[in-house]
Amino acid sequence: MATKAFQKIYTKITQITKATCSLKATGVGYDELASVDGKLAQVVKIIGDEVTLQVFSGTEGIRTNAEVVFMGKAPTLKVGDQLAGRFFNAYGDPIDGGPIPEGTEVEIGGPSVNPVRRKQPSELIATGIAGIDLNNTLVTGQKIPFFADPDQPFNQVMAMVALRAQSDKIILGGMGMTNDDYLFFKNTFSNAGALDRIVSFINTTEDPSVERILIPDMALCAAEYFAVQKNEKVLVLLTDMTNYADALAIVSNRMDQIPSKDSMPGSLYSDLAKIYEKAVQFPAGGSITIIAVTTLSGGDITHAVPDNTGYITEGQLYLRRDSDVGKVIVDPFRSLSRLKQLVTGKKTREDHPQVMNAAVRLYADAANAKTKMENGFDLTDYDNRTLSFAKDYSEKLLAIDVNLDTTEMLDVAWGLFGEYFKPAEVNIKQELVDKYWKK
């Protein structure tokens, strides 16, 4: 062993797998970075003086006498105001051709906030998408996933949320993105003139899949700077968490760990919780809200990734294609925001909870009418009206391309009630009917 400017250098590797190599070393810590023959690696296991390193780009070509240099620190990000408007890779290096930003170096992946330092979330975070704001209102400091099939336009929805959401900063973490998706985000943000409030960390399909594991921690490290130091409302968008989990599985399989359900690592729950639990509302006003895409394979909601995610997050948003209107909608039956009651009717107009419930109930009546129709039963006049209402409701409110503020959404809903129903059929408090029913 030799040392060079406080760095330990070793040249005897005892074991090499596809993704890891092991050696005897002392005085190193978990998550510490190292370079193995110039390839970046990270400490993932320490048993006595036996240290296992995960090599990000794979171990191909590494010799048993390779030079291993420990860097004495975990992955870090330079945080500061210069992050805004920039695109970085999984290591926090710029990929947009711009200069390296100045800032304070902070280790990524720190602990989540002590519950005593948290405040009950109570601020509305409006996205402009009625399927979310009307039926599944989001609250600052919330953590919520989008469950979507791989062929659904979830990245377009994420870009829309980024542009419309009423927040101070948007942090985008892209894992396993195609180059087309990366350019789509870049062009969308540039053309909208919104780059100055967006920070992006991108891992594309061309980058080593293991690097995806760093993306959420990088994104949340940047989010914590703006939320804690600047007291800003920060929205973190992570896409796609299934790719993140697949990268975890690759590493654990190559380390010969026994897989759990769906070949995922046994640590999947805590790996996901470590990310989602960074969502927080601070007493001083700063907040981190997390919206993450989890793609479903074959629509399977019981797969380990969505299954574990559902235990950790506060609800979920479901995208599905509505065959009646030919648009992707936020499904009102399978979506749920568990914190919406903290803001609906309090931070939004008084009629919001009643309008939301009435509309979903009428939409459910339409679903029943549809089942009757498909089974050859006669439809009543009320059935026919609910079917017409459901089409308009999907088209004008649930579709993801609808961009309205909450007051406009409520007015549209009242307009639909008035068009198809009598006040008694809608079953809303009389004083609200007197005030808002479209005469």
Side-chain angles (χ1 to χ4, degrees):
M1 182 190 96
T3 52
K4 180 167 66 181
F6 306 115
Q7 289 181 323
K8 298 193 184 82
I9 301 176
Y10 296 85
T11 53
K12 191 176 176 191
I13 292 176
T14 53
Q15 190 187 5
I16 300 178
T17 69
K18 276 185 188 164
T20 65
C21 60
S22 304
L23 68 156
K24 287 196 165 11
T26 52
V28 295
Y30 268 99
D31 294 340
E32 185 173 326
L33 289 176
S35 91
V36 182
D37 258 357
K39 291 185 173 190
L40 195 65
Q42 188 174 19
V43 176
V44 285
K45 196 158 97 182
I46 304 172
I47 298 174
D49 61 354
E50 183 82 15
V51 177
T52 303
L53 291 165
Q54 160 191 309
V55 184
F56 286 107
S57 57
T59 55
E60 202 175 313
I62 288 177
R63 307 152 301 154
T64 52
N65 64 344
E67 193 172 86
V68 181
V69 183
F70 288 95
M71 299 180 188
K73 59 172 189 154
T76 57
L77 175 69
K78 278 190 172 169
V79 298
D81 294 348
Q82 291 182 13
L83 289 174
R86 302 294 304 279
F87 283 80
F88 302 94
N89 66 10
Y91 305 118
D93 301 326
I95 52 172
D96 53 10
I100 294 171
E102 296 291 309
T104 313
E105 203 168 343
V106 176
E107 268 192 26
I108 66 168
S112 55
V113 179
N114 184 332
V116 178
R117 297 275 302 118
R118 293 167 181 252
K119 186 171 166 246
Q120 166 80 335
S122 61
E123 295 298 316
L124 169 76
I125 194 152
T127 64
I129 297 174
I132 301 175
D133 295 353
L134 186 64
N135 294 336
N136 300 289
T137 324
L138 301 185
V139 182
T140 55
Q142 187 166 4
K143 43 192 178 292
I144 197 160
F146 263 115
F147 288 153
D149 289 323
D151 59 345
Q152 286 175 340
F154 52 84
N155 281 330
Q156 279 83 329
V157 178
M158 280 297 208
M160 277 190 257
V161 171
L163 295 177
R164 298 176 190 170
Q166 290 160 9
S167 59
D168 300 313
K169 287 287 183 300
I170 307 278
I171 317 281
L172 172 69
M175 291 155 277
M177 273 189 182
T178 62
N179 268 326
D180 287 351
D181 283 336
Y182 164 49
L183 292 171
F184 164 75
F185 276 109
K186 200 170 180 183
N187 295 337
T188 306
F189 296 161
S190 301
N191 296 342
L195 269 182
D196 58 334
R197 62 189 192 96
I198 298 174
V199 186
S200 306
F201 296 88
I202 306 289
N203 157 277
T204 68
T205 46
E206 292 178 4
D207 300 322
S209 57
V210 176
E211 291 178 3
R212 284 168 208 166
I213 295 170
L214 296 171
I215 292 276
D217 285 339
M218 282 285 171
L220 289 161
C221 183
E224 284 169 336
Y225 166 75
F226 290 111
V228 176
Q229 308 291 335
K230 301 284 174 181
N231 291 336
E232 292 186 340
K233 269 167 87 168
V234 184
L235 179 59
V236 178
L237 306 175
L238 300 172
T239 169
D240 160 12
M241 290 302 284
T242 300
N243 287 343
Y244 168 80
D246 287 342
L248 291 175
I250 289 169
V251 175
S252 74
N253 289 345
R254 286 175 181 170
M255 286 172 64
D256 297 330
Q257 291 175 355
I258 296 167
S260 160
K261 183 172 180 274
D262 298 318
S263 73
M264 285 290 147
S267 62
L268 180 67
Y269 182 89
S270 45
D271 289 329
L272 291 171
K274 190 180 85 192
I275 293 167
Y276 286 116
E277 293 301 343
K278 291 285 183 93
V280 58
Q281 171 76 57
F282 289 106
S287 64
I288 297 173
T289 308
I290 299 175
I291 304 181
V293 169
T294 299
T295 50
L296 307 173
S297 98
D300 180 12
I301 197 66
T302 65
H303 185 281
V305 181
D307 191 27
N308 279 289
T309 301
Y311 281 105
I312 300 163
T313 54
E314 290 138 350
Q316 71 280 332
L317 300 166
Y318 249 94
L319 293 183
R320 76 167 165 87
R321 187 167 291 283
D322 186 328
S323 50
D324 292 333
V325 296
K327 287 184 170 181
V328 175
I329 66 166
V330 180
D331 189 334
F333 297 145
R334 301 181 79 185
S335 300
L336 167 70
S337 165
R338 293 200 185 109
L339 302 183
K340 64 185 174 188
Q341 69 281 357
L342 299 174
V343 290
T344 53
K346 299 182 178 82
K347 297 292 164 92
T348 58
R349 207 167 70 187
E350 58 179 341
D351 54 327
H352 186 161
Q354 297 244 326
V355 169
M356 167 182 75
N357 292 340
V360 174
R361 194 182 65 253
L362 295 166
Y363 193 69
D365 286 348
N368 292 337
K370 202 171 174 188
T371 307
K372 276 166 74 175
M373 186 169 70
E374 285 162 357
N375 291 323
F377 291 99
D378 290 340
L379 297 186
T380 63
D381 167 55
Y382 176 75
D383 288 335
N384 284 318
R385 285 184 287 133
T386 60
L387 286 170
S388 301
F389 163 79
K391 262 192 176 158
D392 270 1
Y393 180 55
S394 284
E395 179 91 37
K396 294 177 179 171
L397 284 171
L398 297 181
I400 56 173
D401 58 0
V402 174
N403 183 13
L404 302 168
D405 68 35
T406 43
T407 307
E408 292 168 327
M409 290 169 196
L410 293 166
D411 291 341
V412 169
W414 280 107
L416 295 178
F417 294 159
E419 193 174 333
Y420 295 109
F421 304 105
K422 303 181 192 74
E425 292 171 320
V426 174
N427 202 4
I428 288 179
K429 276 185 187 165
Q430 191 57 46
E431 68 247 37
L432 295 176
V433 172
D434 294 343
K435 195 166 173 183
Y436 297 110
W437 191 270
K438 297 276 191 285
K439 300 293 182 284

